Amino acid sequence: PWSPLVNTLMQRAELGHFPGNPFVYSEIGYFAAYNTLLTELFAEAGSYYVIPQAGLRQRQFAPFGAMLVCYLKAGPLLCLELSDTSSQRATPSPAEQAEADAQVRQRMQSISLSEQASCGVRRLYGVSAIGPYIRSYCSLTEPDGANFIATRQDSYVHVSSDEGYRAMREIALLIR
């Protein structure tokens, strides 16, 4: 379903095969794959951009990285949280899933509340990615400031699977 470039980058990230990459088996290896995937998803959408997590110096490791997809006039519409994959299990453990779930919910709530106040963005979609495994979310901020975040999938799925592909395409279609 994904382009050969996304598939190759995802496979390399899963194997840790990035020449000169000091972050073997970390979320850094997945950045190129997810950045390319987001670019392909939103290429037809027009005025948007992808923002990596700010403030990291070279060789500095963060257990969670973030990418936001923003439209120039509307503000952020998708937050993708990319988590450390140093354990390299076949699937993320329940503890890893719980930690990633809490992190993406916290980030989405923070973004939703600040953006609702500044530019009226009420709906924000989120993706928690633990290496190649994803889970999607939707956040709605009411005019009174109440914020609700719900999962769109019951469990983490591999982004290259049919279900993972459908989940990402569905979010892109909802945002556009």
Side-chain angles (χ1 to χ4, degrees):
W2 298 114
S3 73
L5 179 58
V6 170
N7 289 330
T8 298
L9 291 171
M10 196 63 71
Q11 288 168 355
R12 282 186 170 191
E14 286 185 80
L15 297 172
H17 290 172
F18 283 93
N21 179 9
F23 302 102
V24 174
Y25 299 125
S26 75
E27 89 281 357
I28 302 298
Y30 287 94
F31 186 87
Y34 281 108
N35 190 47
T36 304
L37 183 150
L38 291 173
T39 300
E40 288 183 8
L41 277 177
F42 294 98
E44 304 127 27
S47 301
Y48 80 97
Y49 52 97
V50 177
I51 306 169
Q53 179 177 351
L56 292 183
R57 294 183 302 272
Q58 186 178 11
R59 296 186 182 262
Q60 183 179 3
F61 178 77
F64 296 95
M67 290 184 257
L68 301 176
V69 172
C70 304
Y71 284 93
L72 292 176
K73 293 183 181 177
L77 297 171
L78 171 67
C79 171
L80 188 145
E81 284 278 331
L82 189 50
S83 304
D84 176 21
T85 60
S86 57
S87 64
Q88 288 299 298
R89 286 186 186 84
T91 57
S93 71
E96 288 170 322
Q97 291 181 33
E99 185 179 5
D101 182 74
Q103 179 70 21
V104 76
R105 287 173 182 275
Q106 180 182 3
R107 173 118 34 203
M108 288 179 70
Q109 183 170 20
S110 173
I111 292 168
S112 293
L113 295 176
S114 67
E115 290 304 318
Q116 168 65 18
S118 66
C119 62
V121 172
R122 293 188 55 212
R123 189 173 304 269
L124 176 70
Y125 294 91
V127 174
S128 173
I130 303 176
Y133 295 93
I134 62 167
R135 187 174 191 188
S136 57
Y137 300 79
C138 181
S139 169
L140 178 64
T141 302
E142 296 293 337
D144 65 2
N147 183 252
F148 304 96
I149 300 174
T151 58
R152 298 180 56 79
Q153 297 160 249
D154 292 333
S155 61
Y156 280 80
V157 297
H158 199 287
V159 71
S160 296
S161 70
D162 289 342
E163 189 176 354
Y165 180 78
R166 277 193 305 273
M168 294 299 292
R169 295 293 299 175
E170 182 180 286
I171 289 172
L173 290 172
L174 289 169
I175 288 174
R176 289 190 222 156

